[in-house]
Amino acid sequence: MPKKENDGVAKDRILDAAEELFAQNGYAAVSVRQITAAARCNLAAVNYHFGNKKNLYLEVFRSRLVPNGKRVSQSFEDNLAARPEPALSDVIHALAQAFLEEGPLTDEERERHAQLMAREMARPIGAMEIVIDEVMRPLFESVACRLRPHLMEEIDDESLTLKILSIFAMVTHFNFARAAISRITGREYNKEFKTRLVDHISEFATKGLGMMQREDDK
């Protein structure tokens, strides 16, 4: 059994290796032995810290994706902090900015998270519930609270949720499909282009919600 003072180091190495391998190959294609080899530790360390492969997989989401997702959510809140009464376009702009512009996540983190989430959505193992409950739902509720005052009172909760999902779909597509977007547009994904995309998303989504805006908000 690893010494107490090395427990945290070994655990982090296992999580680093598992995150990378699960992102590259998916849950089913990765063995515990591959993870321990990459982490330079023995099987006993995995059993000691996580119990089994599934628990390790879930812990990758819980300890890596969730904190980073919360950093993106906090970036959204920070982007609106200077606007105590943000307009509809301000809310959408702040959300797109939190995901796309230079901020809480590196490009490598974004790529790994995109791979992990895509594999989890294709073949769910149980991590999606963790991300939804701890990151997505609170962020959705925060966005909804800020959008609702600008929309007609008649809009029901399901309609508002679908509209927010549509905005998120656009934001996450521009965030994670960077290679394809760069090839199609011929643009490098630099600071200037990210700002252009944030403005585009804000303008496009605001117009899409225009039919549901209050008259006094237009």
Side-chain angles (χ1 to χ4, degrees), residues 108-171:
E108 288 183 354
E109 287 173 324
R110 284 191 181 93
E111 184 178 351
R112 282 199 305 273
H113 292 185
Q115 291 173 323
L116 284 164
M117 288 298 294
R119 292 184 183 283
E120 171 65 16
M121 286 188 289
R123 293 188 176 182
I125 306 297
M128 183 61 65
E129 288 80 0
I130 296 172
V131 177
I132 290 174
D133 290 342
E134 298 192 33
V135 180
M136 294 178 65
R137 199 184 307 281
L139 181 55
F140 267 55
E141 290 173 354
S142 180
V143 173
C145 286
R146 287 185 163 90
L147 289 181
R148 187 173 282 284
H150 300 287
L151 304 177
M152 294 179 182
E153 294 180 1
E154 293 81 0
I155 187 170
D156 58 87
D157 290 340
E158 183 177 278
S159 296
L160 179 57
T161 298
L162 291 174
K163 292 180 186 302
I164 295 173
L165 279 169
S166 297
I167 296 170
F168 269 85
M170 183 161 50
V171 170

Side-chain angles (χ1 to χ4, degrees), residues 89-90 92-93 96 197-207:
S89 59
D90 291 332
I92 300 169
H93 192 278
L197 290 175
V198 169
D199 291 341
H200 162 73
I201 292 169
S202 178
E203 179 184 1
F204 192 88
T206 301
K207 287 181 179 178

Side-chain angles (χ1 to χ4, degrees), residues 100 102 178 189-198:
L100 286 170
E102 300 299 335
R178 297 186 176 199
Y189 238 91
N190 54 23
K191 183 177 181 180
E192 179 185 3
F193 189 48
K194 291 174 186 176
T195 300
R196 171 75 179 90
L197 290 175
V198 169

Side-chain angles (χ1 to χ4, degrees), residues 39-88:
R40 304 185 309 282
C41 67
N42 56 40
L43 185 61
V46 173
N47 293 333
Y48 173 70
H49 289 293
F50 307 102
N52 56 47
K53 175 181 162 182
K54 182 176 180 180
N55 288 344
L56 171 55
Y57 176 79
L58 296 178
E59 186 59 29
V60 167
F61 281 79
R62 191 178 289 111
S63 66
R64 299 301 169 86
L65 270 74
V66 167
N68 285 344
K70 288 181 177 180
R71 285 162 57 198
V72 173
S73 297
Q74 187 59 52
S75 180
F76 166 69
E77 301 292 343
D78 293 344
N79 290 340
L80 288 176
R83 299 183 174 94
E85 297 183 5
L88 182 67

